[in-house]
Amino acid sequence: MQDFEQFIGSFSFDGRLAEVDINSSVAHAKMLVKAKVIDASDGEKIISGLTSILRDIKGDWKLPKDEDVHYAIEKELIRRIGAVGGKMHTARSRNDQIATDLRVYLKQEIRIIVNLIKDFQEVLIAKSYENIDVIMPGFTHLQPAQPVLAAHHLLAYVWMMQRDKERLNDCYKRTDILPLGSAALAGTSFNIDRQHTARLLDFKEVSDNSLDAVSDRDFAVEFVFCMSLTVLHLTRFCEEIILWMNPEFGYITMGDKFTSGSSIMPQKRNPDSAEVIRGKSGRIVGDLIALLTIIKSLPLTYNRDLQEDKPPVFDSLDNLKPCLEVMKEMVDSLRFVKEKTLKSTEKGFIAATEVADYLARNNVPFRSAHAIVKDIVLYCKGNSKTLSELSLEEYNKFSKVFKKDIFEYLDAKNIANMKTSYGGTSKKSVLRQIENIKNKLKLEVK
Ligand code: ARG
């Protein structure tokens, strides 16, 4: 039979909250003194006891195990300063304490992760600049659609990452609300000053409903959702990187250190880093499902089920952070094979839309133009020709509107650079896009 204490306990996974737990307790003790709930001299003993524990855990010393991190610290405090240490737990409970600890911890992590995302964005922006003249096929349905700038493609991920940061910053606002002082569930009859604790712990607001405060884990769900969506964004890029590395595409090469060989096939260099990131998304999305399931049907207020919130929260951030770091370096190591990407634009009649637009610009209704070009493409397929290989006479068989300038509209680079609409793929629009995102990043505080 499993040890029951250990079964219902959480020390194995909430031990990492020791530092924030101590800091929260120091703030709580200071507030109790200020509110005259405990004597100043008792407060001092508690604070210096807690400070000595903090110093020790930052060194080599290990906090003795207990049911959870709160009991472990309280018992250690009493061991060090005597029974007066027990006054620390006046006007609070472990329910508001754990909710506070998790919020403090996630506020710190959100800041760290936002900065990691930003570092990755900066690499992507630099890569975009570096490859501003690389033309490649853009796909819909993974079929050749229209030529685009590789920079435009890379920047699409910068905007995804931008939204991921915005979502995290938004999650931060709802995490920045202090539950401490809600006590077990109903508040406390001690005359405490929760606003003071909030100031000491750098919380913007205090919670308004003690029942909600001890049972709310929405901020944690939002956080793990943010981790999930961010990693899913990474997997979309990883998937493309993996495809682009396949010699059938051959669009990019990857730094050797991000690949690995095969134990049997000597020729292989596999894009393992991208695959591992893609694979890790499974557990992060799993963490989200776990957390959502834990709160499902949970009656008010605190229930011990909530203790199980921490493994998925920690697992999601512990896995996303290295993914972001590896992604950043791996993307930095990518080199586009310009000739290959350009060559690839010759496949799949990628200029077809431009030919239809040519007719439309010359007064042919777009729907009719679409039908004409569809016939031209069928003709090309039947005669094993590309759009550039047709003669003007052949074009004129389909429409008299075509003049010899049609050939300018068949060149992938020209086509891409004609997309000058705001947010389009022309070099001009892309350079403006880079300026826009750079200005946005400049305004953000690190
Ligand atoms: N270890 C618990 C948790 O992580 C702390 C709160 C325990 N509260 C209780 N009433 N048993 O949620």
Side-chain angles (χ1 to χ4, degrees):
M1 169 63 187
Q2 159 100 25
D3 176 58
F4 181 69
E5 281 278 307
Q6 204 189 326
F7 179 71
I8 64 154
S10 53
F11 192 79
S12 61
F13 50 82
D14 65 15
R16 72 157 85 184
L17 293 174
E19 212 175 306
V20 291
D21 192 74
I22 292 173
N23 289 334
S24 304
S25 289
V26 168
H28 182 67
K30 284 184 180 163
M31 181 282 290
L32 290 178
V33 170
K34 181 173 179 274
K36 299 197 168 44
V37 177
I38 62 170
D39 287 348
S41 69
D42 290 346
E44 267 160 38
K45 281 181 203 136
I46 291 169
I47 291 164
S48 75
L50 287 170
T51 313
S52 76
I53 300 173
L54 184 61
R55 189 180 344 107
D56 291 348
I57 57 171
K58 281 183 172 170
D60 284 342
W61 181 79
K62 287 256 169 305
L63 187 63
K65 285 191 187 131
D66 213 296
E67 186 188 306
D68 61 22
V69 67
H70 321 297
Y71 271 156
I73 290 168
E74 185 177 294
K75 283 190 192 155
E76 182 60 25
L77 180 69
I78 293 170
R79 212 171 357 249
R80 292 189 185 199
I81 67 165
V84 63
K87 292 197 175 185
M88 171 178 76
H89 210 55
T90 315
R92 77 169 190 199
S93 97
R94 284 186 296 158
N95 300 350
D96 53 345
Q97 199 180 347
I98 188 61
T100 301
D101 288 357
L102 192 56
R103 285 172 185 267
V104 173
Y105 189 81
L106 287 187
K107 280 172 60 182
Q108 293 168 358
E109 287 298 324
I110 289 173
R111 291 228 156 98
I112 295 169
I113 295 165
V114 164
N115 281 329
L116 287 176
I117 297 177
K118 190 168 179 177
D119 291 343
F120 175 43
Q121 284 180 304
E122 273 156 7
V123 165
L124 280 168
I125 294 170
K127 267 288 137 190
S128 307
Y129 251 136
E130 188 183 310
N131 292 287
I132 195 75
D133 290 314
V134 176
I135 309 287
M136 61 185 260
F139 298 114
T140 61
H141 313 265
L142 203 58
Q143 305 299 316
Q146 293 182 356
V148 295
L149 264 59
H152 196 45
H153 194 112
L154 296 175
L155 288 163
Y157 287 99
V158 176
W159 294 104
M160 275 182 235
M161 293 294 123
Q162 188 63 12
R163 294 193 294 275
D164 290 333
K165 282 192 311 189
E166 283 168 13
R167 250 184 300 273
L168 272 166
N169 288 331
D170 206 55
C171 169
Y172 187 96
K173 288 185 217 153
R174 279 175 294 281
T175 308
D176 199 10
I177 301 168
L178 177 73
L180 202 60
S182 300
L185 76 162
T188 173
S189 41
F190 290 101
N191 186 22
I192 59 173
D193 181 351
R194 297 186 59 211
Q195 270 73 17
H196 186 65
T197 318
R199 277 192 296 278
L200 293 174
L201 286 175
D202 193 28
F203 272 90
K204 191 154 183 268
E205 292 169 56
V206 297
S207 56
D208 281 291
N209 182 311
S210 61
L211 304 179
D212 181 40
V214 295
S215 70
D216 171 27
R217 291 296 183 275
D218 295 359
F219 66 98
V221 174
E222 280 186 50
F223 175 82
V224 183
F225 172 74
C226 290
M227 299 299 95
S228 301
L229 192 51
T230 306
V231 80
L232 291 182
H233 286 153
L234 298 186
T235 68
R236 295 183 72 170
F237 196 16
C238 285
E239 177 77 10
E240 295 187 321
I241 289 170
I242 294 163
L243 279 176
W244 292 350
M245 288 240 335
N246 181 301
E248 290 295 327
F249 282 81
Y251 290 1
I252 51 167
T253 62
M254 180 186 283
D256 216 40
K257 96 173 206 228
F258 302 98
T259 67
S260 86
S262 153
S263 61
I264 170 168
M265 296 169 281
Q267 84 283 15
K268 296 268 269 174
R269 283 326 287 177
N270 300 321
D272 298 61
S273 312
E275 293 167 88
V276 170
I277 294 171
R278 200 173 52 175
K280 287 213 185 283
S281 67
R283 60 155 92 204
I284 300 181
V285 174
D287 292 329
L288 177 62
I289 303 299
L291 197 52
L292 286 168
T293 311
I294 289 163
I295 61 166
K296 180 188 175 290
S297 314
L298 210 59
L300 287 177
T301 55
Y302 177 84
N303 297 272
R304 195 61 177 263
D305 317 40
L306 289 174
Q307 174 169 291
E308 288 294 318
D309 61 353
K310 280 164 289 295
V313 167
F314 296 154
D315 185 74
S316 68
L317 68 93
D318 285 345
N319 279 289
L320 184 71
K321 282 158 73 176
C323 284
L324 282 166
E325 277 163 341
V326 170
M327 194 77 191
K328 180 187 87 173
E329 290 185 31
M330 177 180 69
V331 169
D332 195 30
S333 81
L334 298 180
R335 299 282 171 270
F336 277 88
V337 186
K338 216 172 156 175
E339 305 70 38
K340 268 275 197 179
T341 58
L342 189 64
K343 188 93 192 122
S344 192
T345 61
E346 289 169 16
K347 291 182 201 156
F349 308 99
I350 214 163
T353 317
E354 215 45 51
V355 179
D357 284 351
Y358 176 95
L359 293 174
R361 227 175 282 117
N362 287 288
N363 220 18
V364 180
F366 184 79
R367 197 43 63 213
S368 317
H370 184 279
I372 292 168
V373 181
K374 197 171 171 186
D375 286 344
I376 297 177
V377 169
L378 282 176
Y379 173 85
C380 285
K381 283 183 178 166
N383 293 279
S384 303
K385 286 186 170 183
T386 66
L387 287 170
S388 320
E389 285 163 357
L390 296 186
S391 65
L392 183 58
E393 290 68 45
E394 283 171 302
Y395 272 107
N396 285 144
K397 273 195 233 154
F398 295 91
S399 166
K400 291 280 169 247
V401 173
F402 290 116
K403 300 276 159 342
K404 69 171 189 305
D405 66 341
I406 179 63
F407 295 100
E408 289 163 31
Y409 294 86
L410 302 179
D411 176 79
K413 192 168 185 169
N414 282 350
I415 297 171
N417 283 324
M418 279 187 277
K419 301 284 188 294
T420 49
S421 54
Y422 190 92
T425 198
S426 71
K427 184 168 173 177
K428 195 167 157 243
S429 303
V430 169
L431 286 172
R432 177 170 51 195
Q433 190 186 152
I434 291 176
E435 277 322 298
N436 287 352
I437 187 69
K438 276 186 151 184
N439 288 336
K440 263 185 196 286
L441 296 191
K442 238 181 264 162
L443 293 176
E444 292 170 2
V445 275
K446 268 249 177 187

